[in-house]
Amino acid sequence: MASRSTMRRLGGRATATCATQCTVSGAARPSSLLYASPLPSMARRDLATATPAQTPVEGLEKFVSKYQRQTFDLDAPHHDGSASSVVEGLLRRALPTALAGGAEAREDPMKVALRLVEKEVKSLNGSIQQQIEAVTERPLLAKVASYFFKLQGKRIRPVLVLLTAKAIAVHLNPALGAGLTPENADVPVSDRQFSLAEIMEMIHTASLMHDDIIDQAETRRGMPAAHKVWDSKKAVLAGDFLLARASVKIARLREHEVTELLSTMIADLVEGEFFQMRTNVEKEGKEMTQFDYYMRKTYLKTASLLEKCCSCAAILGEADRATINIAKAYGAHLGYAFQLVDDMLDFTGTSSDLGKPAAVDLSLGLATAPVLFAMEEFGELRALVERGFKEEGDVEKAFSLVQRSQGIARTHALAHAGVDTQQPQHREHCAKAVETIGQLAPSPYRDALARLTEKVLSRSS
């Protein structure tokens, strides 16, 4: 297997596989990797005549909605209405290779993803803790800053970085994909891409420590929140310390575009918190709808981070601009879906499943997608939303109205492959994520990224 430095040299020389070839012509691939175009024949003809500049992402955005029902037929017999069934139908049509392999295709998508990056993930937490301990003279600071790294989390952000890095390596260097299967897949990542995975986990963990103080959370991942174990001052400083150490690692990447993107992402996290604090939805003197305001906040707090996980992994893999845009679009759509499901779980999950109290968003005065959808059916919710559910009985009443409405179902539909006709500008994000990542060359890593959409939709925590 090629070394990390060899991988970088290969990436620098390789000519990127054209997105049109990947999605339209079905260019020759190794026989062990079956490939089928994700689009119906009529859509393929339209894409084949599109200008090259429109092909990678912009063209896809324009024509996929035209053939939506033909591509993703939610009324087809193989759907039973469950999240996994809907995504299975989507994958069956868009990326058949993602469902190849029998029992593996039925395995938890996150377990499949983790197995493909197991070597890197195993060393990640220990590596971060060692770095923290090595640069501070205060053992207590190291202990507080390392607290969350010792807890069992989803690790979705570093997993995304590593899977994207490997998928793009195969996309740029087709020889790496020859004979590649989930069982023998061992494409290395560069040192800079591994460092990016550490950076993303450090920034995310810092944001959790700060969020828990802002939200007055008691627990995180089923354990006491850091500020409850120590105090708010120590937790804030530990979060700041993690951000500072992440910034040092960013500087050492010596990639100006990545530095700018990650700095913007940190600013997005802060701005997203300010969006969440406000009930006024005015922007630059112009009113935004409640739903547009909510989706903007969702981008800043969640989608921006996942978008940068994928796009920066592509940049550090020396990908061409079209491939970087594919990674960027996939990460953003997955991030939107992730947050929509997270907001839905606030009404359907239990405290033990979530690792935090249920209905916490309402108690914090937050109007998320289920509430905004429910407000269209029950007008009395508007007054509760505008006063931030502050009066006695507001939280209980809002919770009851959401449960009686179509708000939860519409939120779930928006997250996966359903279409909410009243919010056409926010189309089904998991469907878009699968369509977009399908433009990469076939590999177990690409298929694992596609199947992560199933995990996002079916998760209970």
Side-chain angles (χ1 to χ4, degrees):
M1 185 59 65
S3 67
R4 287 179 177 173
S5 59
T6 303
M7 278 290 297
R8 288 193 58 200
R9 291 197 301 272
L10 283 170
R13 288 202 310 265
T15 300
T17 304
C18 175
T20 306
Q21 291 177 332
C22 289
T23 56
V24 179
S25 64
R29 303 289 184 193
S31 58
S32 61
L33 295 173
L34 300 177
Y35 180 76
S37 172
L39 301 170
S41 58
M42 191 180 300
R44 290 200 301 272
R45 287 197 299 273
D46 276 13
L47 182 56
T49 59
T51 61
Q54 291 179 325
T55 296
V57 176
E58 300 91 340
L60 180 71
E61 296 271 341
K62 290 179 180 178
F63 69 74
V64 71
S65 60
K66 180 178 178 182
Y67 301 101
Q68 195 109 43
R69 299 302 298 176
Q70 186 178 352
T71 311
F72 306 119
D73 184 0
L74 301 184
D75 301 321
H78 58 265
H79 288 300
D80 61 14
S82 67
S84 60
S85 175
V86 169
V87 175
E88 179 180 332
L90 189 153
L91 291 171
R92 192 179 302 282
R93 292 158 188 268
L95 296 174
T97 56
L99 292 179
E104 173 141 358
R106 306 279 71 77
E107 193 177 355
D108 183 321
M110 194 64 192
K111 289 183 179 179
V112 174
L114 281 168
R115 190 160 57 245
L116 290 169
V117 294
E118 182 177 16
K119 180 172 60 179
E120 293 87 357
V121 170
K122 275 186 175 179
S123 63
L124 186 127
N125 280 354
S127 173
I128 293 174
Q129 290 180 57
Q130 288 174 8
Q131 291 173 57
I132 290 171
E133 291 168 0
V135 295
T136 176
E137 299 176 20
R138 306 302 302 170
L140 180 58
L141 174 57
K143 189 174 183 179
V144 181
S146 301
Y147 178 62
F148 279 140
F149 297 113
K150 298 175 182 178
L151 303 180
Q152 185 62 42
K154 291 180 278 289
R155 303 288 184 260
I156 183 69
R157 291 148 195 88
V159 167
L160 273 180
V161 170
L162 297 166
L163 281 178
T164 302
K166 291 169 182 272
I168 284 175
V170 175
H171 181 71
L172 297 178
N173 306 282
L176 290 174
L180 203 63
T181 69
E183 291 72 30
N184 67 13
D186 190 25
V187 172
V189 299
S190 71
D191 290 337
R192 295 199 303 168
Q193 288 170 323
F194 181 78
S195 186
L196 176 65
E198 293 178 316
I199 289 165
M200 289 304 191
E201 190 67 359
M202 291 170 74
I203 293 173
H204 172 60
T205 301
S207 74
L208 294 184
M209 299 181 90
H210 290 164
D211 281 355
D212 286 347
I213 297 169
I214 294 169
D215 298 344
Q216 301 176 14
E218 298 284 335
T219 61
R220 170 68 66 175
R221 296 173 183 168
M223 298 290 288
H227 67 282
K228 291 297 180 181
V229 177
W230 292 279
D231 56 49
S232 294
K233 184 174 182 179
K234 290 184 180 67
V236 168
L237 291 172
D240 292 347
F241 178 75
L242 284 175
L243 286 174
R245 295 314 307 174
S247 297
V248 172
K249 290 178 70 66
I250 292 170
R252 289 174 178 166
L253 294 175
R254 288 176 168 77
E255 186 69 55
H256 294 312
E257 184 177 5
V258 171
T259 299
E260 183 176 350
L261 287 172
L262 296 184
S263 299
T264 301
M265 179 193 73
I266 294 172
D268 285 347
L269 290 171
V270 176
E271 189 173 3
E273 280 296 335
F274 272 80
F275 261 71
Q276 186 162 285
M277 290 176 187
R278 295 174 58 199
T279 56
N280 182 358
V281 295
E282 290 184 0
K283 181 183 178 184
E284 297 177 359
K286 297 180 181 178
E287 280 198 11
M288 300 172 72
T289 68
Q290 286 275 8
F291 201 89
D292 285 342
Y293 187 90
Y294 163 77
M295 291 300 285
R296 177 62 180 158
K297 183 266 296 180
T298 296
Y299 172 79
L300 293 169
K301 281 183 63 69
T302 305
S304 174
L305 197 152
L306 298 195
E307 175 187 86
K308 270 69 171 185
C309 280
C310 299
S311 61
C312 290
I315 293 167
L316 294 175
E318 302 178 7
D320 60 282
R321 186 54 53 184
T323 304
I324 293 168
N325 286 340
I326 289 169
K328 175 182 177 180
Y330 166 81
H333 287 306
L334 191 72
Y336 277 118
F338 187 94
Q339 189 59 52
L340 286 162
V341 171
D342 200 65
D343 292 342
M344 183 188 73
L345 288 173
D346 201 48
F347 293 91
T348 62
T350 64
S351 296
S352 58
D353 285 337
L354 299 173
K356 59 183 179 180
V360 69
D361 289 340
L362 288 176
S363 65
L364 293 170
L366 306 179
T368 55
V371 177
L372 297 176
F373 283 137
M375 193 165 65
E376 296 176 11
E377 298 177 55
F378 299 99
E380 59 264 42
L381 266 172
R382 184 172 298 278
L384 278 63
V385 168
E386 289 176 353
R387 63 175 178 251
F389 313 106
K390 289 180 180 178
E391 293 187 6
E392 186 176 352
D394 280 0
V395 170
E396 293 77 11
K397 183 176 181 180
F399 191 89
S400 175
L401 290 174
V402 170
Q403 295 289 343
R404 288 163 53 193
S405 76
Q406 292 297 307
I408 294 171
R410 287 178 66 186
T411 301
H412 201 239
L414 179 59
H416 60 65
V419 180
D420 189 88
T421 56
Q422 297 182 51
Q423 301 290 343
Q425 69 274 41
H426 303 300
R427 291 190 177 274
E428 53 295 330
H429 290 288
C430 276
K432 279 189 173 181
V434 172
E435 281 279 5
T436 303
I437 206 65
Q439 294 181 80
L440 295 184
S443 72
Y445 308 113
R446 181 204 68 172
D447 293 347
L449 287 168
R451 287 203 64 214
L452 277 179
T453 59
E454 179 183 344
K455 182 62 177 179
V456 165
L457 293 175
S458 60
R459 66 193 179 96
S460 59
S461 64

